[in-house]
Amino acid sequence: MTRRTPEADIQRAIVHTLRIVLPRDAIIHHSANEVGSGGKAARQRQAILTGMGVFPGFADLVVLTGGQVLFLEVKSPSGRLSPAQRAFRDMVKAQGFGWALVRSVEDALGALADHGITTRAQALNPRRRACA
């Protein structure tokens, strides 16, 4: 039986695309803050990770480029934010950082544009800049 991982598939596609369109020195980071569901062992591992600094609700991806920080929370088309994810979003935005919920590569590219992050394609296309 193959386990479906729509969010992971979407996230892989987003990371692949961002590595192509963002400047070469951009940092795209996934914070592995999930242990998975399970019993006692999973709860113990989560407690260890929390003690080491894992923050509940932390976004799936962090993009650092050109002095800007953008947090991306990746969800499937029907996925919803958890209470911890909503709290993280609110804290990040209150501190002036960018945050976006994305469900596709197109959403991620739109989030970059919405937060003023220039991609390599935009930087190389002077007509597009003149029209903006």
Side-chain angles (χ1 to χ4, degrees):
M1 180 173 124
T2 303
R3 198 168 90 174
R4 295 197 60 215
T5 56
E7 285 181 14
D9 294 341
I10 295 165
Q11 184 167 322
R12 277 190 288 276
I14 290 169
V15 168
H16 174 78
T17 301
L18 294 183
R19 286 181 177 153
I20 292 169
V21 303
L22 287 172
R24 295 190 199 295
D25 62 351
I27 297 169
I28 305 156
H29 176 74
H30 168 67
S31 180
N33 59 353
E34 63 281 334
V35 173
S37 58
K40 183 179 178 182
R43 286 191 302 276
Q44 288 175 332
R45 182 71 181 146
Q46 190 66 48
I48 290 168
L49 292 174
T50 300
M52 294 174 67
V54 168
F55 195 90
F58 198 90
D60 294 309
L61 295 171
V62 182
V63 177
L64 299 110
T65 184
Q68 295 175 282
V69 178
L70 175 61
F71 294 92
L72 299 176
E73 181 61 45
V74 180
K75 290 290 180 191
S76 69
S78 60
R80 296 181 183 199
L81 295 176
S82 70
Q85 290 168 330
R86 287 193 299 273
F88 177 81
R89 173 202 59 203
D90 296 345
M91 285 187 272
V92 162
K93 290 174 93 173
Q95 293 182 45
F97 294 108
W99 183 97
L101 173 63
V102 297
R103 298 176 188 278
S104 66
V105 169
E106 293 77 18
D107 285 354
L109 293 173
L112 294 178
D114 290 347
H115 290 87
I117 296 175
T118 303
T119 64
R120 283 193 261 172
Q122 290 168 323
L124 294 174
N125 187 345
R127 273 186 4 156
R128 184 172 181 145
R129 279 186 285 163
C131 295

